[in-house]
Amino acid sequence: MKLTLSCIVFLVGVYFVQCTNYANVPLKSQINQVNPMIGLVFWDDVPEYYGSSFPYTALSMEYFYLPVNKLVVGRTNGVIQYNWTFIENKLTRIASRGHQAIFRPYYEYPGLPTAVPAFLKSILGYQGQVFNGEEFMDWRSPDLQAMHLDMFTKLAQRYDNDNRVAFVESGFGFWSEYHISDGPDMVLGYNFPSGDFQQKSITLITSLFKNTPVLYSIDIADIYDGQCPVFNSIKNLPFGSFDDSAFAKDSQDWNDGNKQRLGWTRYQTQPLGGEIAYEDNVQQHALDINGPEGTPLPTYVANYHYTFLIANDQVNYKYNGPLTQFQRIQQVGQTFGYKFTITSFQTNGTHTQVVVKNTGVAPAYKDMYLQVSGVQSTVSLKRLQPGNSSTVVVQVSTNAPTLKIVSPWITSKQTIQYEANL
Ligand SMILES: *[C@@H]1O[C@H](CO)[C@@H](O)[C@H](O)[C@H]1NC(C)=O
Ligand SMILES: *[C@@H]1O[C@H](CO)[C@@H](O)[C@H](O)[C@H]1NC(C)=O
Ligand SMILES: *[C@@H]1O[C@H](CO)[C@@H](O)[C@H](O)[C@H]1NC(C)=O
């Protein structure tokens, strides 16, 4: 142990000096997993299929779509009926693999039947537009509007405090990605919700999810196609965003416009996620050392402060380097989001002082705490910004403190690893 003297000068009428004998404590720690709530994300059927050959440390989150009609199964005497089995089964399986879920309810999914709950279709006057064989939701319907709000209210009641769920995504249109491109002409209040209803819905949803961030497609900020005429009045609500055509040069300018309108510093309070664009060259070379189009994925992630990207097809490719593809998925996944490095660890026998720095590219969006020899600090590391440090003092009588990072928002199978070389 190296002894250091830290002296604090107080002015109390006269000068005097109080010295606290803080001594450095050696601390070594490495990150050998993708930490919770960051990284490359796979649909839940991929880890399910690969089993233990896809190391659970290579990812921390799994994604699934929630067809609304699997959840909303009826309405009895005006009360919406829910069947939680589909979502519960998914969350249980995902948690059993040591991961957390991101899910997104949808109504319209090109190529799949519309997930419209059967009770709506039996209401006289409910009639969604059919275009190229695809049925769109009928947003004229007050029953649909009421159901949508009730569903998100129930989802928030059940899952806002559920540590199996990392993030929730919401929206309207195809895949809930806030557009109906290649569909019929958009008619707000008919085949897409009215501006008023969008505002009502996003205001309610962002007020109900207090712990679990809700993310909307960056297309909510598309001012050219008019999906969200109320964008300026909702843009400051607390929601994160996702870019479903990330990392492709040809959509970058367009996506940048949306991201700019959402605010370049939005990541400081709300997560940015998304999906690697479905363009063959981008998919095939996404994890290559220099990337598919001259920018390595970790550089892109750092530039935009990404917390996660869905990368489902990456298991089918082989990047151009020495690691296995699964090892590469883990290596790149570790470059997302928060990363905690302990830069000082000292004790004076009654107190331990820790300096923790966020050396990642984005903050953590849920509470995390330092725990010294079993005693948890009250200082949350949530929203500690990249590049910034926090000095935390924990009162605990020991000369040989130990350190963990804990969180009520991870499951018992998960840990939050940190770096230290002291
Ligand atoms: C250790 O430092 C704390 C302030 O961080 C101080 O309150 C406490 O008295 C010190 N303990 C000793 C034994 O010096
Ligand atoms: C609830 O959903 C599950 C899974 O989707 C299904 O197997 C089951 O039959 C449903 N139960 C009812 C009562 O509809
Ligand atoms: C980083 O910390 C400094 C000092 O506390 C603070 O002024 C600054 O706003 C912080 N940066 C961010 C991005 O929060």
Side-chain angles (χ1 to χ4, degrees):
M1 262 193 226
K2 200 171 85 192
L3 211 64
T4 58
L5 283 186
S6 50
C7 299
I8 308 160
V9 180
F10 288 95
L11 182 63
V12 193
V14 292
Y15 291 100
F16 72 95
V17 175
Q18 180 193 327
C19 293
T20 51
N21 296 321
Y22 270 103
N24 290 333
V25 179
L27 185 69
K28 304 263 183 239
S29 183
Q30 286 179 343
I31 297 172
N32 53 27
Q33 65 173 12
V34 174
N35 269 322
M37 295 180 271
I38 65 170
L40 294 172
V41 176
F42 294 79
W43 289 30
D44 64 321
D45 56 338
V46 170
E48 185 88 42
Y49 171 80
Y50 281 94
S52 57
S53 65
F54 193 171
Y56 81 96
T57 53
L59 68 161
S60 73
M61 293 186 287
E62 300 181 23
Y63 176 83
F64 66 91
Y65 278 107
L66 174 62
V68 171
N69 60 356
K70 290 258 191 233
L71 174 61
V72 176
V73 292
R75 189 174 66 174
T76 307
N77 299 326
V79 181
I80 308 285
Q81 305 295 308
Y82 295 91
N83 177 352
W84 297 101
T85 308
F86 177 86
I87 184 167
E88 278 297 317
N89 286 348
K90 295 267 189 196
L91 295 180
T92 304
R93 295 287 303 158
I94 292 169
S96 76
R97 290 188 280 270
H99 299 147
Q100 291 172 302
I102 302 172
F103 67 82
R104 187 195 305 173
Y106 77 86
Y107 300 101
E108 288 134 5
Y109 191 120
L112 293 183
T114 302
V116 52
F119 87 91
L120 281 173
K121 298 195 70 164
S122 65
I123 292 171
L124 197 65
Y126 182 94
Q127 187 64 64
Q129 180 182 7
V130 177
F131 181 87
N132 276 351
E134 177 107 14
E135 181 186 343
F136 288 76
M137 300 305 286
D138 182 359
W139 288 103
R140 296 171 305 189
S141 166
D143 299 282
L144 169 57
Q145 295 177 17
M147 187 229 90
H148 186 79
L149 301 181
D150 192 72
M151 174 178 72
F152 271 96
T153 303
K154 297 298 189 302
L155 282 169
Q157 280 167 4
R158 277 184 82 100
Y159 297 118
D160 186 38
N161 292 315
D162 191 321
N163 59 11
R164 297 172 301 173
V165 178
F167 306 116
V168 171
E169 296 183 340
S170 179
F172 301 108
F174 285 145
W175 306 281
S176 290
E177 289 178 356
Y178 241 93
H179 66 78
I180 49 171
S181 304
D182 303 327
D185 288 343
M186 188 174 60
V187 183
L188 294 182
Y190 177 34
N191 57 24
F192 206 85
S194 68
D196 280 353
F197 184 71
Q198 291 181 47
Q199 176 149 2
K200 192 172 178 182
S201 154
I202 193 168
T203 303
L204 179 75
I205 292 168
T206 53
S207 76
L208 292 171
F209 282 93
K210 293 179 166 47
N211 297 306
T212 296
V214 179
L215 284 66
Y216 282 81
S217 164
I218 60 168
D219 289 357
I220 200 169
D222 165 9
I223 54 173
Y224 302 105
D225 297 313
Q227 298 96 314
C228 186
V230 295
F231 177 69
N232 279 327
S233 43
I234 56 106
K235 69 179 177 192
N236 292 325
L237 290 172
F239 61 90
S241 53
F242 62 91
D243 176 353
D244 48 66
S245 54
F247 199 36
K249 280 257 154 72
D250 66 359
S251 49
Q252 186 163 330
D253 283 351
W254 178 267
N255 291 342
D256 278 358
N258 290 338
K259 286 171 179 163
Q260 180 184 14
R261 284 182 286 278
L262 283 158
W264 288 121
T265 56
R266 196 174 192 90
Y267 76 88
Q268 293 179 351
T269 52
Q270 294 291 334
L272 174 64
E275 178 165 26
I276 297 174
Y278 269 92
E279 291 181 21
D280 289 348
N281 181 57
V282 175
Q283 286 287 331
Q284 285 160 17
H285 300 286
L287 302 188
D288 281 7
I289 305 286
N290 293 315
E293 299 175 304
T295 305
L297 185 50
T299 304
Y300 173 82
V301 165
N303 287 346
Y304 288 91
H305 309 276
Y306 272 96
T307 284
F308 69 88
L309 280 174
I310 297 171
N312 209 50
D313 288 10
Q314 292 312 310
V315 288
N316 302 328
Y317 301 119
K318 175 70 179 82
Y319 90 112
N320 61 350
L323 303 177
T324 68
Q325 187 72 357
F326 289 136
Q327 287 168 336
R328 179 66 174 162
I329 287 167
Q330 171 165 329
Q331 183 183 52
V332 173
Q334 287 174 350
T335 68
F336 283 74
Y338 69 90
K339 176 174 165 186
F340 295 124
T341 302
I342 308 303
T343 57
S344 171
F345 193 50
Q346 300 181 313
T347 182
N348 68 2
T350 62
H351 294 68
T352 295
Q353 181 173 288
V354 192
V355 181
V356 52
K357 181 174 184 182
N358 184 352
T359 52
V361 301
Y365 300 98
K366 293 191 181 181
D367 286 321
M368 298 178 183
Y369 302 95
L370 297 180
Q371 190 191 68
V372 177
S373 299
V375 179
Q376 187 178 316
S377 154
T378 55
V379 179
S380 177
L381 304 179
K382 176 179 172 177
R383 295 192 182 152
L384 176 62
Q385 298 301 322
N388 267 12
S389 294
S390 176
T391 301
V392 176
V393 176
V394 178
Q395 186 173 355
V396 49
S397 286
T398 176
N399 284 310
T402 57
L403 184 71
K404 274 176 75 172
I405 299 180
V406 297
S407 172
W409 304 113
I410 60 173
T411 68
S412 58
K413 289 202 166 183
Q414 295 180 292
T415 57
I416 299 166
Q417 296 180 339
Y418 57 85
E419 276 186 351
N421 187 17
L422 298 170

